[in-house]
Amino acid sequence: MNPHVHALPEATLPRSFRLLRILVGAGVVMMLWRFLAGLGATTALNDGYPWGLWIAFDVVTGTALACGGYAIAILVYVLNKGAYHPLVRPALVTSALGYTLAGLAIVLDVGRYWNLYKVLYVWRWNPNSVLLEVALCIMAYVVVLWIELSPAFLERWRQSASRALRWISQKGDPILQRALIWIIALGILLPTMHQSSLGSLLLIATHKLHPLWHTPLLPLLFLISCIAMGYAVVVFESALSSHLFHRRVEKRMLASLSSVMVGVLLVYLIARFADVVVRGQLAAAFRFDGYSLLFLVEVALFLAPALMLLSRRARSRSGSLFRAAMLMMLAGAWYRFDVYLIAFNPGRGWIYFPSVPELVISMSIVALEILGYVAIVRRFPILGGLTAATVER
Amino acid sequence: MTMNRRALLKGLGAVGVATATGARPVTARSRRPVAEDAVGMLYDATRCIGCKTCMVACRRANHLPYEKPGHPWDDPVDLSGRTKTVIQRYRGREGQSYMKRQCLHCLDPACVSVCMIGAMHKSEGGIVAYDPDRCIGCRYCQVACPFDVPRFQWDSPTPKIVKCEMCRHLLARGRRPACCEVCPTGAVQFGKRKALLAEAKRRIARHPDRYVPKVYGESDAGGTQVLYLSSVPFEKLGLPHLGTEPIPRLSETVQHGIYKGFIVPAALYVLIGAAVRRHHRQRSVDGRKEET
Ligand code: SF4
Ligand code: SF4
């Protein structure tokens, strides 16, 4: 498909990767413990805060950070900006891994995981349940992501020593080519649906979620911010690849991408502010109590990268671009933590702070994601052709 | 070509916004009528003497273990994965009162609205029942319930949700809920909701000095089938001001605004598909230009 795309078998990994492997090991032990002893023994969850770190971070924030594939697909296919094509595959890898591991987090979190398959019982579907829609969409999207990514595997397997893999590659390719348009379209539709619905999930908490956050616009705000986070992750990930694999950053492309990010951020901020004003919560926003400060920091985190990237000069410097991307990821994560945990108050004196096993498992999932990314990028043609050896033109 | 493109983008934008906000002309979902056969309970806090016989009977009838296993006596202070009802005491400036906590069996329950495949469901007589066979343990019902009623068996590796089901297993055998059977003062009574509501209003009319002039549950959170009478303000007893809107109203209005008949998502899908197709066509025509 793309002649400039290479696998990178020769890359060497820094020592710190051993730490990641240790983390994954520790995580697996904790996961076993969770299944044997139950959620009470391993988590700080309680009847007031039935959803904790795994939902707020691994599922809700994790899938938003895995929106790189979605955000780039909007740019390339919907807005027809073919120039961004080289960013598609690396973004898809982060998305596929992110969503798959969010799936793992869901299995860990639900109490009766052996009943999970029953969400496929169409005749029992409760159309009022936002969670049902989220669950089905995420399941479907994991499959879609790996299919979208499969051309990279097939390309590689074409030259494989194994005859079976060569056969799969030969047979699979034409089928894939024919279906790909509709798969790609699904890859844009599904995240639009479930990322907004991840916001709708908390609409039911009418009296538990603080009014600065509880708004009918929850789905819209979640949708816009996940797109911003998606672009930020693409920037972050290409900086990381350039560091790990000694590659030149696709500077010009990232600079123009960052002007798109500014637009998305501004739309988000306008929607957020307009909503607070219209619902008469402006006074609450500037009361300077805990919730107000939480809100102001959150808004500042969204505003800062937008301001940083306003100037063209800043956009072309990879350092400030990288910093802005980090801020943007933090902003989106902050917003999600506010909605799901910090501004969520069930009353009656409930408190929640994640336990050690919860933290270790969450970190191990991130570690697994990084290791998975590196493993896939090393073996399959994912990254664009800007290696040190083959500098374009 | 450009015209086409603009039209396409516009369509996408419009559908996208509609998808995200439910901004189509949506009529808020209507209130459900109260079923004629709706059963209920009436708890009159002024008649309760705090003997906790109901708690013991509930434990027996539902085969629930002691709150602290291995303890020689039972002392639950709150609802939990082992306790479906609890008597709490309030003492303060407004006087003193007992309070029986349990599921209120909402007319339009949030827990039922959010449950994916109907583990929480309205069953006969409007009782909000739980079917562990359909429960995934997602705990969304706990997030949704405004009274913090559903509890989770945190200490079990095969946990269930625990909450009052109005002893529907006893009702099926022609009996009453265990707590209502044993209450020595008639503080908690079982009956048809309609009759209980009339009785509650009669009591307030007869002793206006004794009661807060309101039957909690008549229309709170859209109405509940368990009704409360009290001499101290209800919010002191843990029954918050929730307004008269059913809790699921907003989320269901937004969700159905977006997904009604799946028309918006389907339209969005077709439009995105068209956009992707156009992109592919263009790319194969001037492929070289794209690469730079
Ligand atoms: S009180 Fe809570 S658990 Fe009981 S029916 Fe209402 S929403 Fe459901
Ligand atoms: S925990 Fe069970 S009963 Fe509660 S919402 Fe989830 S599936 Fe339904």
Side-chain angles (χ1 to χ4, degrees):
Chain A
M1 247 177 115
N2 196 333
H4 291 307
V5 166
H6 299 288
L8 301 159
E10 77 284 357
T12 48
L13 299 180
R15 287 262 163 74
S16 55
F17 273 62
R18 263 195 36 209
L19 192 74
L20 294 183
R21 291 210 188 94
I22 294 172
L23 251 178
V24 172
V28 170
V29 174
M30 299 283 180
M31 288 179 204
L32 284 178
W33 184 19
R34 173 258 171 270
F35 283 115
L36 291 177
L39 286 162
T42 42
T43 70
L45 296 171
N46 52 58
D47 290 314
Y49 285 97
W51 288 350
L53 185 69
W54 293 342
I55 296 297
F57 180 70
D58 297 86
V59 178
V60 178
T61 308
T63 58
L65 288 172
C67 274
Y70 169 53
I72 292 293
I74 293 179
L75 210 54
V76 171
Y77 299 107
V78 178
L79 301 174
N80 207 15
K81 301 259 193 287
Y84 293 107
H85 249 286
L87 297 181
V88 170
R89 273 194 190 172
L92 278 177
V93 176
T94 52
S95 296
L97 284 167
Y99 269 89
T100 307
L101 291 171
L104 172 68
I106 291 172
V107 175
L108 282 169
D109 190 81
V110 298
R112 303 170 65 79
Y113 45 88
W114 58 90
N115 275 345
L116 255 177
Y117 71 93
K118 291 183 182 166
V119 300
L120 296 174
Y121 288 4
V122 182
W123 59 95
R124 286 190 186 160
W125 281 358
N126 170 11
N128 296 331
S129 173
V130 183
L131 191 61
L132 176 72
E133 185 225 317
V134 170
L136 293 172
C137 269
I138 290 186
M139 278 184 191
Y141 189 46
V142 170
V143 177
V144 164
L145 277 168
W146 288 107
I147 297 178
E148 279 189 280
L149 201 52
S150 62
F153 301 130
L154 296 185
E155 268 167 45
R156 167 69 199 248
W157 290 339
R158 212 176 294 148
Q159 298 131 26
S160 164
S162 142
R163 197 188 299 160
L165 287 182
R166 274 207 310 273
W167 184 83
I168 291 177
S169 167
Q170 251 171 27
K171 294 285 162 203
D173 205 44
I175 302 175
L176 207 58
Q177 289 309 326
R178 228 168 302 138
L180 209 55
I181 288 175
W182 295 102
I183 299 263
I184 290 172
L186 260 188
I188 296 174
L189 176 72
L190 292 175
T192 311
M193 286 168 66
H194 67 247
Q195 283 298 331
S196 56
S197 291
L198 284 172
S200 306
L201 275 181
L202 265 286
L203 284 176
I204 195 84
T206 45
H207 294 81
K208 296 183 183 177
L209 185 56
H210 190 278
L212 273 174
W213 286 269
H214 188 272
T215 151
L217 284 197
L218 270 169
L220 185 69
L221 294 173
F222 266 67
L223 184 64
I224 305 175
S225 58
C226 90
I227 294 174
M229 289 163 85
Y231 291 132
V233 169
V234 170
V235 171
F236 177 81
E237 167 268 332
S238 59
L240 189 76
S241 313
S242 80
H243 176 73
L244 282 181
F245 304 115
H246 312 292
R247 303 150 54 74
R248 285 228 325 241
V249 191
E250 299 96 331
K251 246 195 195 157
R252 224 173 343 122
M253 201 181 298
L254 293 186
S256 65
L257 182 61
S258 60
S259 58
V260 179
M261 303 201 299
V262 174
V264 176
L265 283 174
L266 290 180
V267 171
Y268 173 86
L269 282 164
I270 291 168
R272 184 85 166 98
F273 253 105
D275 170 64
V276 167
V277 172
V278 168
R279 288 186 305 108
Q281 293 295 329
L282 203 59
F286 290 99
R287 203 171 285 149
F288 297 105
D289 57 357
Y291 287 114
S292 142
L293 290 179
L294 204 60
F295 171 79
L296 292 175
V297 172
E298 178 192 305
V299 170
L301 280 172
F302 277 100
L303 195 60
L307 293 179
M308 277 169 74
L309 295 178
L310 267 182
S311 93
R312 181 167 299 162
R313 205 144 43 96
R315 285 206 291 270
S316 60
R317 266 197 311 257
S318 47
S320 52
L321 191 55
F322 185 67
R323 274 193 297 278
M326 296 276 279
L327 277 177
M328 222 148 121
M329 289 158 64
L330 185 63
W334 187 287
Y335 176 55
R336 281 158 176 75
F337 270 75
D338 282 352
V339 170
Y340 273 80
L341 289 176
I342 308 173
F344 179 90
N345 182 6
R348 299 186 210 271
W350 296 109
I351 50 165
Y352 167 78
F353 191 84
S355 70
V356 171
E358 278 178 279
L359 287 164
V360 170
I361 287 180
S362 281
M363 287 194 295
S364 75
I365 286 179
V366 174
L368 203 57
E369 226 164 302
I370 299 175
L371 290 175
Y373 179 81
V374 172
I376 291 179
V377 163
R378 284 170 93 192
R379 281 178 190 77
F380 296 97
I382 303 291
L383 295 175
L386 302 172
T387 55
T390 57
V391 176
E392 196 184 38
R393 260 185 290 164
Chain B
M1 190 71 213
T2 34
M3 236 358 256
N4 262 347
R5 174 171 179 209
R6 193 161 302 155
L8 189 64
L9 285 181
K10 244 196 202 152
L12 273 175
V15 180
V17 167
T19 309
T21 58
R24 291 191 316 153
V26 185
T27 38
R29 101 192 220 296
S30 54
R31 193 163 299 202
R32 298 207 175 97
V34 183
E36 266 309 305
D37 67 339
V39 294
M41 290 186 195
L42 172 61
Y43 174 72
D44 185 337
T46 67
R47 292 193 181 184
C48 178
I49 55 171
C51 66
K52 301 187 178 183
T53 313
C54 53
M55 289 167 56
V56 177
C58 175
R59 212 174 268 304
R60 282 227 188 102
N62 292 291
H63 311 288
L64 294 163
Y66 273 14
E67 185 62 34
K68 290 202 191 91
H71 260 233
W73 63 84
D74 193 24
D75 62 341
V77 291
D78 195 3
L79 300 177
S80 77
R82 298 164 187 269
T83 300
K84 293 186 178 185
T85 189
V86 71
I87 297 290
Q88 294 175 334
R89 185 168 69 170
Y90 167 79
R91 233 199 298 189
R93 218 180 302 141
E94 280 83 2
Q96 81 129 26
S97 175
Y98 292 104
M99 165 66 187
K100 184 175 192 290
R101 296 203 56 206
Q102 62 167 81
C103 173
L104 280 80
H105 297 271
C106 304
L107 288 172
D108 198 340
C111 59
V112 170
S113 167
V114 301
C115 188
M116 290 193 276
I117 50 170
M120 288 286 181
H121 59 280
K122 275 267 183 192
S123 91
E124 243 166 279
I127 291 174
V128 177
Y130 170 70
D131 176 1
D133 237 24
R134 299 187 185 189
C135 174
I136 283 126
C138 67
R139 308 186 291 280
Y140 198 7
C141 49
Q142 296 193 285
V143 172
C145 172
F147 303 104
D148 291 332
V149 164
R151 301 292 163 128
F152 189 70
Q153 293 175 331
W154 294 102
D155 44 11
S156 163
T158 56
K160 289 178 189 158
I161 291 287
V162 172
K163 78 161 200 71
C164 158
E165 298 178 65
M166 238 192 250
C167 288
R168 58 188 174 118
H169 60 298
L170 297 186
L171 295 183
R173 281 188 268 143
R175 289 176 54 189
R176 286 176 292 154
C179 57
C180 302
E181 273 183 345
V182 299
C183 180
T185 65
V188 59
Q189 286 175 311
F190 174 79
K192 289 268 189 286
R193 180 181 188 267
K194 226 175 163 184
L196 293 173
L197 184 58
E199 166 65 17
K201 287 185 170 164
R202 219 174 298 133
R203 285 186 204 171
I204 293 177
R206 207 180 306 138
H207 300 287
D209 51 317
R210 199 186 287 171
Y211 296 104
V212 174
K214 170 188 163 93
V215 184
Y216 193 97
E218 181 179 10
S219 56
D220 302 77
T224 60
Q225 294 181 211
V226 175
L227 304 167
Y228 285 88
L229 283 176
S230 157
S231 59
V232 307
F234 291 107
E235 64 273 16
K236 301 282 176 207
L237 303 182
L239 293 171
H241 286 295
L242 295 174
T244 57
E245 288 284 308
I247 301 292
R249 189 96 173 249
L250 174 67
S251 64
E252 288 187 18
T253 302
V254 171
Q255 191 71 356
H256 290 299
I258 302 172
Y259 292 104
K260 188 102 206 185
F262 235 67
I263 295 166
V264 176
L268 190 59
Y269 186 46
V270 171
L271 280 171
I272 296 172
V276 177
R277 207 146 103 207
R278 181 189 44 140
H279 173 83
H280 267 252
R281 284 240 183 90
Q282 229 168 312
R283 219 166 114 74
S284 49
V285 173
D286 46 23
R288 240 157 292 123
K289 219 172 109 198
E290 294 280 344
E291 291 300 334
T292 49

